[in-house]
Amino acid sequence: MNQGDGITKSDNVSDPVWHQLARLGLIVVFFILWWAIYGMLNERGVEPSRMQVFSRPCDFFPNIIQPWTSVIYLFGGLLLPAAPFFSYRGWRQLGFVLTCYSLASIPAFFCYWLWPVGIIRPKISGHSFGQEVLRAIYSWDQPANCFPSSHVFFAVLGAILLTRQSSGSLTKNIAVWTFAVAICITTITTGQHYFLDIAGGLMVALCGYYVASWIILDYKPIR
């Protein structure tokens, strides 16, 4: 890790198995609670009297919908946010990652509650693997909670957390950010989001990271 940033490699020393299981349990509980809140807001936001709908990217660029990118959208959206937990394994490191995610989620949840933006999804008629995956995504996720994009802020935070480590090579960092950018692009190519949702996701990601750094690293040194 970067020297003097308040989170050191000493957090990664071997711990008893029950410590590792407890950390894993905390991660699982965090994401269960996150998805429960997200789902509740999604159900509320999709109500016709509340959901705000605008002109879609595919209305201006008909060929922008690429169902094969749903594979990146789905699996990348799961893998990149999870990846930092393999590097930030100590209790203090784990707390920093979860604080970043929480501080980015809070303003996003307020937006979902107060100003529920939704999107009318395109019809998917084929039966390729990508089209089947996209149909599955549409069936799991209501078309609300668009702004800001949670896919974007989780991908950007995952990339920031992975590349902030001084031990990461330039090649690794480029690969991580290429993957994050690809995930952001798939929010459009799957018909899930508007362009503005990407900007909103980037904004809350940066706010979450820098506020968490300010609170934890400056006011609560954990060297």
Side-chain angles (χ1 to χ4, degrees):
M1 304 293 297
N2 297 329
Q3 288 186 339
D5 66 2
I7 299 179
T8 67
K9 287 182 179 179
S10 61
D11 284 319
N12 283 334
V13 295
S14 297
D15 276 337
V17 173
W18 73 269
H19 275 207
Q20 299 175 33
L21 292 176
R23 284 195 293 270
L24 177 60
L26 179 60
I27 295 168
V28 171
V29 168
F30 172 85
F31 281 106
I32 289 176
L33 289 175
W34 188 94
W35 187 256
I37 296 171
Y38 176 91
M40 178 192 69
L41 295 173
N42 208 350
E43 290 291 339
R44 184 174 186 270
V46 79
E47 296 173 5
S49 61
R50 302 193 71 248
M51 190 171 73
Q52 305 294 314
V53 177
F54 306 100
S55 296
R56 305 167 299 175
C58 63
D59 294 330
F60 302 100
F61 309 101
N63 295 324
I64 203 169
I65 302 299
Q66 297 293 326
W68 65 270
T69 62
S70 62
V71 178
I72 300 173
Y73 178 88
L74 176 61
F75 295 105
L78 295 173
L79 292 175
L80 193 50
F85 295 114
F86 291 94
S87 300
Y88 293 72
R89 289 176 292 180
W91 281 109
R92 296 172 179 180
Q93 294 179 327
L94 175 60
F96 178 66
V97 174
L98 292 181
T99 300
C100 288
Y101 288 169
S102 298
L103 290 176
S105 298
I106 290 171
F109 287 163
F110 270 109
C111 287
Y112 301 157
W113 178 268
L114 297 173
W115 189 52
V117 176
I119 193 167
I120 298 174
R121 292 155 166 174
K123 295 186 181 298
I124 306 298
S125 57
H127 297 282
S128 68
F129 180 69
Q131 289 166 329
E132 296 291 353
V133 171
L134 191 52
R135 264 193 294 271
I137 292 171
Y138 288 175
S139 68
W140 300 332
D141 188 21
Q142 296 280 2
N145 292 7
C146 284
F147 180 87
S149 169
S150 58
H151 249 71
V152 169
F153 75 69
F154 271 119
V156 171
L157 277 174
I160 291 174
L161 291 167
L162 289 173
T163 57
R164 73 188 295 273
Q165 302 177 49
S166 60
S167 59
S169 67
L170 178 61
T171 301
K172 170 199 163 185
N173 292 345
I174 291 174
V176 167
W177 277 106
T178 300
F179 193 31
V181 170
I183 293 170
C184 294
I185 292 173
T186 64
T187 64
I188 302 298
T189 60
T190 56
Q192 286 280 79
H193 285 278
Y194 302 97
F195 290 114
L196 187 61
D197 301 339
I198 296 178
L202 176 61
M203 180 176 65
V204 297
L206 294 175
C207 287
Y209 173 73
Y210 283 111
V211 173
S213 298
W214 177 64
I215 293 173
I216 294 179
L217 304 188
D218 288 346
Y219 283 103
K220 297 179 181 178
I222 50 181
R223 283 189 281 254

